[in-house]
Amino acid sequence: MSLIDLSKQVALGVDIGGTNTKFGIVNHRGEVLDKGNLKTDAYDKVEDFIDALYEHVYPLMEKHGAEKHFDGIGVGAPNANYYKGTIELAPNLPWKGVIPFAELMTAKFNLPCTVTNDANAAALGEMLFGAARGMKDFIMITLGTGVGSGIIANGNLIYGHDGFAGELGHTIVKPGGRKHWSTGSEGSLEAYASATGITITAKKMRAEFPESMLNQYPEDEINSKTVYECAMKEDPIAIEVFRYTGQKLGEALANFVMFSSPEAILLFGGVIKAGDFILKPAKLHMERNLLPIFRNKVKLVFSELDEADAAILGASALVWEK
């Protein structure tokens, strides 16, 4: 029996977003050997999208194929069902209904394909290649335009009975609170701790405090980046925007800790560029709301994955997680 040469085994990782799709060829060490992207929203039919993806990817597979063995394809996508291999009712994708995505990919590429939602993929990538290496219990929270999450317990990703477990961003942190712009729910974590939520908070606070540096910007330029710029210039209102955001995040994290008792919570995404402005209040309010048995046990850390490649690494991890 011949030994398997892991150095020659690679996976194709695909991250599908509402606007752009990223893809890359990844080896077992988490090195992205080649990568590219294409526009998701340029294709009204999923079959046309997969054909275009194949045309982009095939030259890269040919380039590496002579010396590498492709183990499969991993796909991170909104509303992806790991069990069924489907993308279901994704509101921000051009393809409506239930799409048998893994089946279509396998038919086109002649490789096994596994799908899950993008936050679950990020958690797997962190476990194989990032700050969660060696951990069997942790929660990944992605803080971007929205708030996603992936829960690892006892070394396994929690999918739930239908494949959609882990929507922590849509848990309610303030009953009757801020109305979500898409779901209509009131007081969800995503409505406060996402980049979109930070923008809403900043616009509200700057209206109440005319002296804030935030009022130097036009309405359409207020976002998490401009809030950070003002916070770095010691504007107290900008700092308060992040403190309030961190408080809401920390209160939610306390609930998550008491649910699965993780070793760590990993934070990832554009919002974490705010650093201690958001991390310190998040840690403070997490610890404040925990039962004594859970206090000072859970590390709150930033992801170690390169943001540009994290989605590709996470998707490729699906191929090897089993």
Side-chain angles (χ1 to χ4, degrees), residues 207-280:
E208 296 170 0
F209 297 94
E211 70 277 12
S212 171
M213 288 182 187
L214 291 168
N215 286 295
Q216 298 172 6
Y217 294 88
E219 181 84 357
D220 61 356
E221 289 183 18
I222 297 295
N223 53 43
S224 57
K225 182 174 180 289
T226 50
V227 176
Y228 176 69
E229 289 170 356
C230 291
M232 288 297 291
K233 294 173 183 174
E234 300 184 352
D235 177 55
I237 305 308
I239 292 170
E240 174 60 16
V241 169
F242 283 127
R243 191 214 62 78
Y244 178 75
T245 302
Q247 176 179 343
K248 289 298 167 204
L249 177 60
E251 289 167 353
L253 295 181
N255 287 332
F256 304 161
V257 166
M258 291 185 285
F259 158 68
S260 67
S261 191
E263 178 180 344
I265 294 175
L266 277 65
L267 303 177
F268 174 81
V271 169
I272 69 169
K273 290 175 182 174
D276 281 347
F277 287 126
I278 199 166
L279 186 66
K280 284 186 175 180

Side-chain angles (χ1 to χ4, degrees), residues 64-309:
H64 295 278
E67 59 180 30
K68 304 293 184 185
H69 172 75
F70 281 83
D71 287 342
I73 304 169
V75 178
N79 288 39
N81 189 317
Y82 173 80
Y83 294 134
K84 296 180 181 178
T86 51
I87 296 175
E88 304 185 15
L89 310 173
N92 61 338
L93 293 180
W95 327 305
K96 304 308 175 188
V98 178
I99 309 294
F101 196 83
E103 181 183 316
L104 293 171
M105 287 287 286
T106 294
K108 185 68 180 181
F109 285 82
N110 196 30
L111 285 169
C113 178
T114 306
V115 304
T116 192
N117 78 47
D118 40 7
N120 282 344
L124 291 172
E126 206 68 54
M127 185 165 64
L128 282 185
F129 307 126
R133 281 188 300 265
M135 291 186 192
K136 292 186 179 297
D137 296 272
F138 70 93
I139 297 173
M140 179 87 173
I141 304 288
T142 60
L143 300 167
T145 307
V147 175
S149 60
I151 305 166
I152 303 286
N154 302 327
N156 296 306
L157 187 57
I158 302 300
Y159 286 108
H161 83 283
D162 59 356
F164 293 112
E167 287 290 353
L168 299 179
H170 294 289
T171 56
I172 302 302
V173 296
K174 188 176 181 181
R178 182 180 294 170
K179 188 171 182 178
H180 192 281
W181 49 91
S182 176
T183 67
S185 66
E186 296 180 345
S188 68
L189 177 61
E190 185 167 281
Y192 295 96
S194 64
T196 312
I198 289 170
T199 300
I200 294 169
T201 301
K203 288 179 177 179
K204 184 174 183 293
M205 287 191 179
R206 80 169 189 157
E208 296 170 0
F209 297 94
E211 70 277 12
S212 171
M213 288 182 187
L214 291 168
N215 286 295
Q216 298 172 6
Y217 294 88
E219 181 84 357
D220 61 356
E221 289 183 18
I222 297 295
N223 53 43
S224 57
K225 182 174 180 289
T226 50
V227 176
Y228 176 69
E229 289 170 356
C230 291
M232 288 297 291
K233 294 173 183 174
E234 300 184 352
D235 177 55
I237 305 308
I239 292 170
E240 174 60 16
V241 169
F242 283 127
R243 191 214 62 78
Y244 178 75
T245 302
Q247 176 179 343
K248 289 298 167 204
L249 177 60
E251 289 167 353
L253 295 181
N255 287 332
F256 304 161
V257 166
M258 291 185 285
F259 158 68
S260 67
S261 191
E263 178 180 344
I265 294 175
L266 277 65
L267 303 177
F268 174 81
V271 169
I272 69 169
K273 290 175 182 174
D276 281 347
F277 287 126
I278 199 166
L279 186 66
K280 284 186 175 180
K283 178 73 171 174
L284 173 68
H285 287 277
M286 182 182 81
E287 297 292 352
R288 183 176 288 175
N289 286 279
L290 286 171
L291 289 173
I293 197 171
F294 292 107
R295 282 182 198 145
N296 302 310
K297 287 183 177 179
V298 181
K299 291 177 284 189
L300 194 56
V301 296
F302 290 151
S303 166
E304 289 180 359
L305 296 183
D306 179 82
E307 191 171 351
D309 294 337

